Amino acid sequence: MRHYWKFEQDGTVTKTPTKSSLKNEKAAFNKDRRRKHHHWLVTVFYADGEKFGRVYTDKDKATRFADRQKRSPVVKSARITQVS
């Protein structure tokens, strides 16, 4: 976010966002009407410290993949996040 400095009469300085930077703020994924589908990132964390990620456009498939990975004894955790 861009800011500009505003000098007050009493010598104080305030920092306020510019109008163009307010326009560039990201909207929530569920509010964006241009989207035809969403992307879900499944991140699998293994016991030896390795990480693995896979992106799905179907949340049910992402959930099933994460559940299937969690059943493995070498998997420490699996996380699903919406990326777009």
Side-chain angles (χ1 to χ4, degrees), residues 3-44:
H3 294 84
Y4 67 92
W5 298 98
K6 183 176 169 186
F7 296 98
E8 302 291 336
Q9 290 289 349
D10 59 356
T12 60
V13 179
T14 59
K15 192 169 153 183
T16 58
T18 60
K19 189 181 280 189
S20 65
S21 67
L22 292 175
K23 197 185 320 180
N24 293 337
E25 291 292 320
K26 288 189 177 181
F29 291 132
N30 58 354
K31 301 286 185 193
D32 193 353
R33 305 190 84 169
R34 298 170 297 174
R35 298 203 180 277
K36 300 295 180 195
H37 55 266
H38 297 285
H39 293 86
W40 304 90
L41 173 65
V42 179
T43 309
V44 181

mmCIF file of all heavy atoms in Angstrom, residues 3-44:
data_model
loop_
_atom_site.group_PDB
_atom_site.id
_atom_site.type_symbol
_atom_site.label_atom_id
_atom_site.label_comp_id
_atom_site.label_asym_id
_atom_site.label_seq_id
_atom_site.Cartn_x
_atom_site.Cartn_y
_atom_site.Cartn_z
ATOM 1 N N HIS A 3 1.753 5.186 0.625
ATOM 2 C CA HIS A 3 1.389 6.208 1.584
ATOM 3 C C HIS A 3 2.072 7.510 1.192
ATOM 4 O O HIS A 3 3.070 7.501 0.477
ATOM 5 C CB HIS A 3 1.836 5.816 2.996
ATOM 6 C CG HIS A 3 1.123 4.632 3.532
ATOM 7 N ND1 HIS A 3 1.504 3.349 3.247
ATOM 8 C CD2 HIS A 3 0.039 4.540 4.324
ATOM 9 C CE1 HIS A 3 0.687 2.516 3.862
ATOM 10 N NE2 HIS A 3 -0.212 3.206 4.514
ATOM 11 N N TYR A 4 1.537 8.592 1.637
ATOM 12 C CA TYR A 4 2.239 9.858 1.504
ATOM 13 C C TYR A 4 2.251 10.534 2.868
ATOM 14 O O TYR A 4 1.410 10.287 3.715
ATOM 15 C CB TYR A 4 1.609 10.757 0.423
ATOM 16 C CG TYR A 4 0.235 11.274 0.732
ATOM 17 C CD1 TYR A 4 0.074 12.499 1.353
ATOM 18 C CD2 TYR A 4 -0.898 10.548 0.405
ATOM 19 C CE1 TYR A 4 -1.182 12.986 1.641
ATOM 20 C CE2 TYR A 4 -2.158 11.033 0.690
ATOM 21 C CZ TYR A 4 -2.283 12.253 1.320
ATOM 22 O OH TYR A 4 -3.528 12.732 1.612
ATOM 23 N N TRP A 5 3.245 11.368 3.048
ATOM 24 C CA TRP A 5 3.420 12.029 4.334
ATOM 25 C C TRP A 5 2.661 13.347 4.329
ATOM 26 O O TRP A 5 2.690 14.099 3.373
ATOM 27 C CB TRP A 5 4.904 12.279 4.598
ATOM 28 C CG TRP A 5 5.675 11.007 4.676
ATOM 29 C CD1 TRP A 5 6.400 10.420 3.694
ATOM 30 C CD2 TRP A 5 5.753 10.144 5.785
ATOM 31 N NE1 TRP A 5 6.942 9.255 4.109
ATOM 32 C CE2 TRP A 5 6.566 9.050 5.403
ATOM 33 C CE3 TRP A 5 5.240 10.155 7.062
ATOM 34 C CZ2 TRP A 5 6.848 8.007 6.268
ATOM 35 C CZ3 TRP A 5 5.539 9.119 7.916
ATOM 36 C CH2 TRP A 5 6.339 8.063 7.504
ATOM 37 N N LYS A 6 1.968 13.614 5.415
ATOM 38 C CA LYS A 6 1.179 14.828 5.544
ATOM 39 C C LYS A 6 1.722 15.610 6.743
ATOM 40 O O LYS A 6 1.777 15.099 7.856
ATOM 41 C CB LYS A 6 -0.284 14.443 5.768
ATOM 42 C CG LYS A 6 -1.221 15.593 5.858
ATOM 43 C CD LYS A 6 -2.643 15.054 5.968
ATOM 44 C CE LYS A 6 -3.603 16.143 6.320
ATOM 45 N NZ LYS A 6 -4.940 15.609 6.574
ATOM 46 N N PHE A 7 2.157 16.843 6.492
ATOM 47 C CA PHE A 7 2.712 17.678 7.552
ATOM 48 C C PHE A 7 1.621 18.586 8.085
ATOM 49 O O PHE A 7 0.988 19.331 7.339
ATOM 50 C CB PHE A 7 3.889 18.495 7.012
ATOM 51 C CG PHE A 7 5.034 17.649 6.564
ATOM 52 C CD1 PHE A 7 5.201 17.332 5.234
ATOM 53 C CD2 PHE A 7 5.936 17.154 7.488
ATOM 54 C CE1 PHE A 7 6.248 16.538 4.827
ATOM 55 C CE2 PHE A 7 6.990 16.356 7.088
ATOM 56 C CZ PHE A 7 7.150 16.048 5.754
ATOM 57 N N GLU A 8 1.405 18.501 9.370
ATOM 58 C CA GLU A 8 0.369 19.296 10.023
ATOM 59 C C GLU A 8 0.950 20.650 10.445
ATOM 60 O O GLU A 8 2.160 20.850 10.500
ATOM 61 C CB GLU A 8 -0.174 18.555 11.248
ATOM 62 C CG GLU A 8 -0.758 17.197 10.951
ATOM 63 C CD GLU A 8 -2.055 17.260 10.146
ATOM 64 O OE1 GLU A 8 -2.740 18.303 10.201
ATOM 65 O OE2 GLU A 8 -2.358 16.279 9.467
ATOM 66 N N GLN A 9 0.060 21.595 10.785
ATOM 67 C CA GLN A 9 0.471 22.936 11.207
ATOM 68 C C GLN A 9 1.256 22.896 12.518
ATOM 69 O O GLN A 9 2.162 23.676 12.720
ATOM 70 C CB GLN A 9 -0.760 23.833 11.377
ATOM 71 C CG GLN A 9 -1.442 24.191 10.083
ATOM 72 C CD GLN A 9 -0.628 25.169 9.245
ATOM 73 O OE1 GLN A 9 0.353 25.732 9.699
ATOM 74 N NE2 GLN A 9 -1.042 25.349 7.997
ATOM 75 N N ASP A 10 0.896 21.936 13.400
ATOM 76 C CA ASP A 10 1.545 21.899 14.707
ATOM 77 C C ASP A 10 2.867 21.135 14.694
ATOM 78 O O ASP A 10 3.451 20.890 15.740
ATOM 79 C CB ASP A 10 0.605 21.321 15.757
ATOM 80 C CG ASP A 10 0.165 19.914 15.413
ATOM 81 O OD1 ASP A 10 0.531 19.416 14.336
ATOM 82 O OD2 ASP A 10 -0.545 19.312 16.231
ATOM 83 N N GLY A 11 3.339 20.730 13.528
ATOM 84 C CA GLY A 11 4.635 20.068 13.425
ATOM 85 C C GLY A 11 4.570 18.556 13.437
ATOM 86 O O GLY A 11 5.595 17.901 13.337
ATOM 87 N N THR A 12 3.376 17.979 13.576
ATOM 88 C CA THR A 12 3.270 16.525 13.561
ATOM 89 C C THR A 12 3.205 16.017 12.124
ATOM 90 O O THR A 12 2.791 16.731 11.211
ATOM 91 C CB THR A 12 2.015 16.049 14.313
ATOM 92 O OG1 THR A 12 0.874 16.603 13.676
ATOM 93 C CG2 THR A 12 2.062 16.458 15.776
ATOM 94 N N VAL A 13 3.626 14.795 11.956
ATOM 95 C CA VAL A 13 3.628 14.170 10.641
ATOM 96 C C VAL A 13 2.723 12.947 10.692
ATOM 97 O O VAL A 13 2.834 12.116 11.580
ATOM 98 C CB VAL A 13 5.058 13.740 10.231
ATOM 99 C CG1 VAL A 13 5.048 13.067 8.881
ATOM 100 C CG2 VAL A 13 5.982 14.935 10.232
ATOM 101 N N THR A 14 1.790 12.850 9.745
ATOM 102 C CA THR A 14 0.910 11.685 9.676
ATOM 103 C C THR A 14 1.102 11.002 8.335
ATOM 104 O O THR A 14 1.437 11.638 7.338
ATOM 105 C CB THR A 14 -0.564 12.081 9.853
ATOM 106 O OG1 THR A 14 -0.909 13.007 8.841
ATOM 107 C CG2 THR A 14 -0.815 12.668 11.213
ATOM 108 N N LYS A 15 0.868 9.725 8.315
ATOM 109 C CA LYS A 15 1.037 8.924 7.108
ATOM 110 C C LYS A 15 -0.338 8.412 6.692
ATOM 111 O O LYS A 15 -1.008 7.717 7.440
ATOM 112 C CB LYS A 15 1.965 7.747 7.441
ATOM 113 C CG LYS A 15 2.475 6.982 6.287
ATOM 114 C CD LYS A 15 3.562 6.057 6.803
ATOM 115 C CE LYS A 15 3.714 4.855 5.966
ATOM 116 N NZ LYS A 15 4.682 3.930 6.469
ATOM 117 N N THR A 16 -0.782 8.760 5.490
ATOM 118 C CA THR A 16 -2.105 8.349 5.033
ATOM 119 C C THR A 16 -1.984 7.637 3.688
ATOM 120 O O THR A 16 -1.111 7.961 2.889
ATOM 121 C CB THR A 16 -3.040 9.560 4.886
ATOM 122 O OG1 THR A 16 -2.458 10.478 3.964
ATOM 123 C CG2 THR A 16 -3.271 10.234 6.206
ATOM 124 N N PRO A 17 -2.849 6.666 3.429
ATOM 125 C CA PRO A 17 -2.779 5.947 2.146
ATOM 126 C C PRO A 17 -3.279 6.811 1.001
ATOM 127 O O PRO A 17 -4.157 7.652 1.173
ATOM 128 C CB PRO A 17 -3.682 4.736 2.355
ATOM 129 C CG PRO A 17 -4.575 5.107 3.462
ATOM 130 C CD PRO A 17 -3.843 6.107 4.315
ATOM 131 N N THR A 18 -2.693 6.607 -0.179
ATOM 132 C CA THR A 18 -3.141 7.336 -1.355
ATOM 133 C C THR A 18 -4.400 6.697 -1.906
ATOM 134 O O THR A 18 -4.727 5.554 -1.609
ATOM 135 C CB THR A 18 -2.055 7.342 -2.444
ATOM 136 O OG1 THR A 18 -1.775 6.007 -2.811
ATOM 137 C CG2 THR A 18 -0.799 8.015 -1.965
ATOM 138 N N LYS A 19 -5.112 7.424 -2.746
ATOM 139 C CA LYS A 19 -6.365 6.931 -3.300
ATOM 140 C C LYS A 19 -6.120 5.728 -4.214
ATOM 141 O O LYS A 19 -6.872 4.766 -4.213
ATOM 142 C CB LYS A 19 -7.064 8.031 -4.064
ATOM 143 C CG LYS A 19 -8.468 7.669 -4.496
ATOM 144 C CD LYS A 19 -9.118 8.793 -5.265
ATOM 145 C CE LYS A 19 -9.632 9.840 -4.321
ATOM 146 N NZ LYS A 19 -10.454 10.844 -4.999
ATOM 147 N N SER A 20 -5.036 5.751 -5.011
ATOM 148 C CA SER A 20 -4.776 4.647 -5.936
ATOM 149 C C SER A 20 -4.419 3.365 -5.196
ATOM 150 O O SER A 20 -4.742 2.276 -5.657
ATOM 151 C CB SER A 20 -3.658 5.019 -6.900
ATOM 152 O OG SER A 20 -2.448 5.195 -6.194
ATOM 153 N N SER A 21 -3.755 3.481 -4.045
ATOM 154 C CA SER A 21 -3.399 2.275 -3.303
ATOM 155 C C SER A 21 -4.627 1.659 -2.637
ATOM 156 O O SER A 21 -4.689 0.455 -2.442
ATOM 157 C CB SER A 21 -2.323 2.567 -2.268
ATOM 158 O OG SER A 21 -2.833 3.403 -1.267
ATOM 159 N N LEU A 22 -5.619 2.470 -2.294
ATOM 160 C CA LEU A 22 -6.847 1.916 -1.728
ATOM 161 C C LEU A 22 -7.604 1.122 -2.777
ATOM 162 O O LEU A 22 -8.258 0.135 -2.478
ATOM 163 C CB LEU A 22 -7.730 3.038 -1.184
ATOM 164 C CG LEU A 22 -7.205 3.777 0.033
ATOM 165 C CD1 LEU A 22 -8.126 4.936 0.375
ATOM 166 C CD2 LEU A 22 -7.076 2.841 1.200
ATOM 167 N N LYS A 23 -7.524 1.556 -4.028
ATOM 168 C CA LYS A 23 -8.201 0.863 -5.109
ATOM 169 C C LYS A 23 -7.552 -0.491 -5.401
ATOM 170 O O LYS A 23 -8.210 -1.415 -5.852
ATOM 171 C CB LYS A 23 -8.151 1.726 -6.371
ATOM 172 C CG LYS A 23 -9.134 1.320 -7.436
ATOM 173 C CD LYS A 23 -8.995 2.111 -8.721
ATOM 174 C CE LYS A 23 -8.733 3.570 -8.529
ATOM 175 N NZ LYS A 23 -8.598 4.305 -9.785
ATOM 176 N N ASN A 24 -6.262 -0.628 -5.130
ATOM 177 C CA ASN A 24 -5.526 -1.850 -5.433
ATOM 178 C C ASN A 24 -5.664 -2.923 -4.368
ATOM 179 O O ASN A 24 -5.092 -3.996 -4.508
ATOM 180 C CB ASN A 24 -4.044 -1.541 -5.638
ATOM 181 C CG ASN A 24 -3.814 -0.717 -6.886
ATOM 182 O OD1 ASN A 24 -4.634 -0.726 -7.795
ATOM 183 N ND2 ASN A 24 -2.710 -0.004 -6.924
ATOM 184 N N GLU A 25 -6.389 -2.639 -3.292
ATOM 185 C CA GLU A 25 -6.565 -3.640 -2.243
ATOM 186 C C GLU A 25 -7.298 -4.856 -2.793
ATOM 187 O O GLU A 25 -8.209 -4.719 -3.603
ATOM 188 C CB GLU A 25 -7.366 -3.047 -1.076
ATOM 189 C CG GLU A 25 -6.620 -2.002 -0.302
ATOM 190 C CD GLU A 25 -5.449 -2.562 0.457
ATOM 191 O OE1 GLU A 25 -5.566 -3.663 1.027
ATOM 192 O OE2 GLU A 25 -4.401 -1.907 0.470
ATOM 193 N N LYS A 26 -6.916 -6.036 -2.349
ATOM 194 C CA LYS A 26 -7.534 -7.268 -2.844
ATOM 195 C C LYS A 26 -8.891 -7.483 -2.182
ATOM 196 O O LYS A 26 -9.036 -7.304 -0.979
ATOM 197 C CB LYS A 26 -6.644 -8.463 -2.554
ATOM 198 C CG LYS A 26 -5.421 -8.494 -3.427
ATOM 199 C CD LYS A 26 -4.688 -9.786 -3.263
ATOM 200 C CE LYS A 26 -3.515 -9.842 -4.197
ATOM 201 N NZ LYS A 26 -2.787 -11.069 -4.092
ATOM 202 N N ALA A 27 -9.846 -7.879 -2.984
ATOM 203 C CA ALA A 27 -11.167 -8.215 -2.454
ATOM 204 C C ALA A 27 -11.147 -9.668 -1.999
ATOM 205 O O ALA A 27 -10.264 -10.441 -2.345
ATOM 206 C CB ALA A 27 -12.229 -8.018 -3.535
ATOM 207 N N ALA A 28 -12.137 -10.029 -1.223
ATOM 208 C CA ALA A 28 -12.248 -11.417 -0.776
ATOM 209 C C ALA A 28 -12.505 -12.318 -1.984
ATOM 210 O O ALA A 28 -13.098 -11.895 -2.978
ATOM 211 C CB ALA A 28 -13.376 -11.544 0.233
ATOM 212 N N PHE A 29 -12.041 -13.560 -1.891
ATOM 213 C CA PHE A 29 -12.176 -14.483 -3.016
ATOM 214 C C PHE A 29 -13.642 -14.735 -3.360
ATOM 215 O O PHE A 29 -13.980 -14.906 -4.517
ATOM 216 C CB PHE A 29 -11.499 -15.809 -2.699
ATOM 217 C CG PHE A 29 -10.006 -15.698 -2.625
ATOM 218 C CD1 PHE A 29 -9.325 -16.241 -1.551
ATOM 219 C CD2 PHE A 29 -9.278 -15.064 -3.609
ATOM 220 C CE1 PHE A 29 -7.947 -16.155 -1.478
ATOM 221 C CE2 PHE A 29 -7.914 -14.969 -3.543
ATOM 222 C CZ PHE A 29 -7.239 -15.514 -2.478
ATOM 223 N N ASN A 30 -14.493 -14.746 -2.362
ATOM 224 C CA ASN A 30 -15.900 -15.039 -2.646
ATOM 225 C C ASN A 30 -16.638 -13.838 -3.232
ATOM 226 O O ASN A 30 -17.750 -13.975 -3.708
ATOM 227 C CB ASN A 30 -16.607 -15.538 -1.381
ATOM 228 C CG ASN A 30 -16.518 -14.544 -0.250
ATOM 229 O OD1 ASN A 30 -15.838 -13.537 -0.356
ATOM 230 N ND2 ASN A 30 -17.186 -14.823 0.846
ATOM 231 N N LYS A 31 -16.048 -12.655 -3.230
ATOM 232 C CA LYS A 31 -16.690 -11.458 -3.774
ATOM 233 C C LYS A 31 -16.299 -11.184 -5.226
ATOM 234 O O LYS A 31 -16.934 -10.386 -5.897
ATOM 235 C CB LYS A 31 -16.301 -10.224 -2.952
ATOM 236 C CG LYS A 31 -16.678 -10.323 -1.497
ATOM 237 C CD LYS A 31 -18.156 -10.159 -1.316
ATOM 238 C CE LYS A 31 -18.477 -10.130 0.168
ATOM 239 N NZ LYS A 31 -19.872 -10.266 0.424
ATOM 240 N N ASP A 32 -15.233 -11.827 -5.722
ATOM 241 C CA ASP A 32 -14.744 -11.560 -7.069
ATOM 242 C C ASP A 32 -15.637 -12.267 -8.088
ATOM 243 O O ASP A 32 -15.640 -13.486 -8.189
ATOM 244 C CB ASP A 32 -13.298 -12.026 -7.190
ATOM 245 C CG ASP A 32 -12.634 -11.488 -8.441
ATOM 246 O OD1 ASP A 32 -13.332 -10.865 -9.266
ATOM 247 O OD2 ASP A 32 -11.422 -11.689 -8.601
ATOM 248 N N ARG A 33 -16.391 -11.505 -8.855
ATOM 249 C CA ARG A 33 -17.355 -12.087 -9.791
ATOM 250 C C ARG A 33 -16.695 -12.584 -11.067
ATOM 251 O O ARG A 33 -17.335 -13.251 -11.870
ATOM 252 C CB ARG A 33 -18.424 -11.065 -10.109
ATOM 253 C CG ARG A 33 -19.088 -10.531 -8.838
ATOM 254 C CD ARG A 33 -20.257 -9.743 -9.167
ATOM 255 N NE ARG A 33 -21.332 -10.712 -9.338
ATOM 256 C CZ ARG A 33 -22.592 -10.427 -9.450
ATOM 257 N NH1 ARG A 33 -22.950 -9.176 -9.435
ATOM 258 N NH2 ARG A 33 -23.501 -11.340 -9.601
ATOM 259 N N ARG A 34 -15.424 -12.246 -11.315
ATOM 260 C CA ARG A 34 -14.741 -12.693 -12.529
ATOM 261 C C ARG A 34 -14.320 -14.151 -12.434
ATOM 262 O O ARG A 34 -14.058 -14.779 -13.439
ATOM 263 C CB ARG A 34 -13.494 -11.841 -12.773
ATOM 264 C CG ARG A 34 -13.792 -10.381 -13.000
ATOM 265 C CD ARG A 34 -12.526 -9.586 -12.991
ATOM 266 N NE ARG A 34 -11.895 -9.684 -11.678
ATOM 267 C CZ ARG A 34 -10.709 -9.179 -11.396
ATOM 268 N NH1 ARG A 34 -10.029 -8.547 -12.308
ATOM 269 N NH2 ARG A 34 -10.204 -9.286 -10.181
ATOM 270 N N ARG A 35 -14.249 -14.669 -11.243
ATOM 271 C CA ARG A 35 -13.719 -16.025 -11.060
ATOM 272 C C ARG A 35 -14.724 -17.077 -11.476
ATOM 273 O O ARG A 35 -15.874 -17.036 -11.108
ATOM 274 C CB ARG A 35 -13.342 -16.250 -9.604
ATOM 275 C CG ARG A 35 -12.256 -15.321 -9.157
ATOM 276 C CD ARG A 35 -11.519 -15.865 -7.980
ATOM 277 N NE ARG A 35 -10.494 -14.947 -7.580
ATOM 278 C CZ ARG A 35 -9.300 -14.883 -8.140
ATOM 279 N NH1 ARG A 35 -8.986 -15.692 -9.105
ATOM 280 N NH2 ARG A 35 -8.413 -14.010 -7.725
ATOM 281 N N LYS A 36 -14.238 -18.056 -12.252
ATOM 282 C CA LYS A 36 -15.077 -19.181 -12.646
ATOM 283 C C LYS A 36 -14.878 -20.353 -11.685
ATOM 284 O O LYS A 36 -15.751 -21.182 -11.528
ATOM 285 C CB LYS A 36 -14.746 -19.634 -14.065
ATOM 286 C CG LYS A 36 -14.955 -18.564 -15.102
ATOM 287 C CD LYS A 36 -16.411 -18.192 -15.197
ATOM 288 C CE LYS A 36 -16.627 -17.118 -16.243
ATOM 289 N NZ LYS A 36 -17.901 -16.483 -16.165
ATOM 290 N N HIS A 37 -13.699 -20.437 -11.084
ATOM 291 C CA HIS A 37 -13.431 -21.483 -10.097
ATOM 292 C C HIS A 37 -12.333 -20.992 -9.160
ATOM 293 O O HIS A 37 -11.644 -20.020 -9.458
ATOM 294 C CB HIS A 37 -13.001 -22.799 -10.776
ATOM 295 C CG HIS A 37 -11.829 -22.649 -11.680
ATOM 296 N ND1 HIS A 37 -11.950 -22.429 -13.022
ATOM 297 C CD2 HIS A 37 -10.500 -22.690 -11.425
ATOM 298 C CE1 HIS A 37 -10.747 -22.336 -13.560
ATOM 299 N NE2 HIS A 37 -9.853 -22.474 -12.611
ATOM 300 N N HIS A 38 -12.204 -21.645 -8.036
ATOM 301 C CA HIS A 38 -11.200 -21.292 -7.042
ATOM 302 C C HIS A 38 -10.087 -22.320 -7.058
ATOM 303 O O HIS A 38 -10.240 -23.418 -7.588
ATOM 304 C CB HIS A 38 -11.826 -21.226 -5.650
ATOM 305 C CG HIS A 38 -12.873 -20.174 -5.537
ATOM 306 N ND1 HIS A 38 -12.587 -18.831 -5.445
ATOM 307 C CD2 HIS A 38 -14.219 -20.251 -5.520
ATOM 308 C CE1 HIS A 38 -13.693 -18.141 -5.363
ATOM 309 N NE2 HIS A 38 -14.709 -18.984 -5.408
ATOM 310 N N HIS A 39 -8.950 -21.959 -6.469
ATOM 311 C CA HIS A 39 -7.816 -22.870 -6.381
ATOM 312 C C HIS A 39 -7.536 -23.160 -4.910
ATOM 313 O O HIS A 39 -7.531 -22.243 -4.084
ATOM 314 C CB HIS A 39 -6.576 -22.251 -7.033
ATOM 315 C CG HIS A 39 -6.714 -22.098 -8.507
ATOM 316 N ND1 HIS A 39 -7.302 -20.999 -9.088
ATOM 317 C CD2 HIS A 39 -6.370 -22.916 -9.525
ATOM 318 C CE1 HIS A 39 -7.301 -21.145 -10.398
ATOM 319 N NE2 HIS A 39 -6.747 -22.293 -10.699
ATOM 320 N N TRP A 40 -7.299 -24.426 -4.621
ATOM 321 C CA TRP A 40 -7.046 -24.889 -3.256
ATOM 322 C C TRP A 40 -5.684 -25.545 -3.223
ATOM 323 O O TRP A 40 -5.404 -26.458 -3.985
ATOM 324 C CB TRP A 40 -8.127 -25.881 -2.829
ATOM 325 C CG TRP A 40 -9.491 -25.297 -2.953
ATOM 326 C CD1 TRP A 40 -10.314 -25.346 -4.031
ATOM 327 C CD2 TRP A 40 -10.172 -24.532 -1.974
ATOM 328 N NE1 TRP A 40 -11.472 -24.672 -3.779
ATOM 329 C CE2 TRP A 40 -11.415 -24.163 -2.520
ATOM 330 C CE3 TRP A 40 -9.857 -24.134 -0.682
ATOM 331 C CZ2 TRP A 40 -12.331 -23.405 -1.819
ATOM 332 C CZ3 TRP A 40 -10.787 -23.389 0.016
ATOM 333 C CH2 TRP A 40 -11.999 -23.031 -0.554
ATOM 334 N N LEU A 41 -4.824 -25.068 -2.340
ATOM 335 C CA LEU A 41 -3.474 -25.607 -2.186
ATOM 336 C C LEU A 41 -3.450 -26.566 -1.008
ATOM 337 O O LEU A 41 -3.813 -26.188 0.111
ATOM 338 C CB LEU A 41 -2.476 -24.486 -1.945
ATOM 339 C CG LEU A 41 -1.049 -24.895 -1.599
ATOM 340 C CD1 LEU A 41 -0.408 -25.612 -2.778
ATOM 341 C CD2 LEU A 41 -0.240 -23.692 -1.188
ATOM 342 N N VAL A 42 -3.044 -27.802 -1.281
ATOM 343 C CA VAL A 42 -2.872 -28.793 -0.224
ATOM 344 C C VAL A 42 -1.381 -28.886 0.056
ATOM 345 O O VAL A 42 -0.597 -29.214 -0.836
ATOM 346 C CB VAL A 42 -3.424 -30.176 -0.637
ATOM 347 C CG1 VAL A 42 -3.213 -31.182 0.487
ATOM 348 C CG2 VAL A 42 -4.885 -30.079 -0.998
ATOM 349 N N THR A 43 -0.976 -28.557 1.263
ATOM 350 C CA THR A 43 0.417 -28.638 1.662
ATOM 351 C C THR A 43 0.562 -29.790 2.641
ATOM 352 O O THR A 43 -0.135 -29.844 3.649
ATOM 353 C CB THR A 43 0.885 -27.333 2.328
ATOM 354 O OG1 THR A 43 0.542 -26.241 1.481
ATOM 355 C CG2 THR A 43 2.377 -27.345 2.555
ATOM 356 N N VAL A 44 1.465 -30.724 2.316
ATOM 357 C CA VAL A 44 1.699 -31.899 3.152
ATOM 358 C C VAL A 44 3.065 -31.733 3.808
ATOM 359 O O VAL A 44 4.061 -31.483 3.128
ATOM 360 C CB VAL A 44 1.656 -33.190 2.308
ATOM 361 C CG1 VAL A 44 1.879 -34.404 3.187
ATOM 362 C CG2 VAL A 44 0.340 -33.297 1.565
#
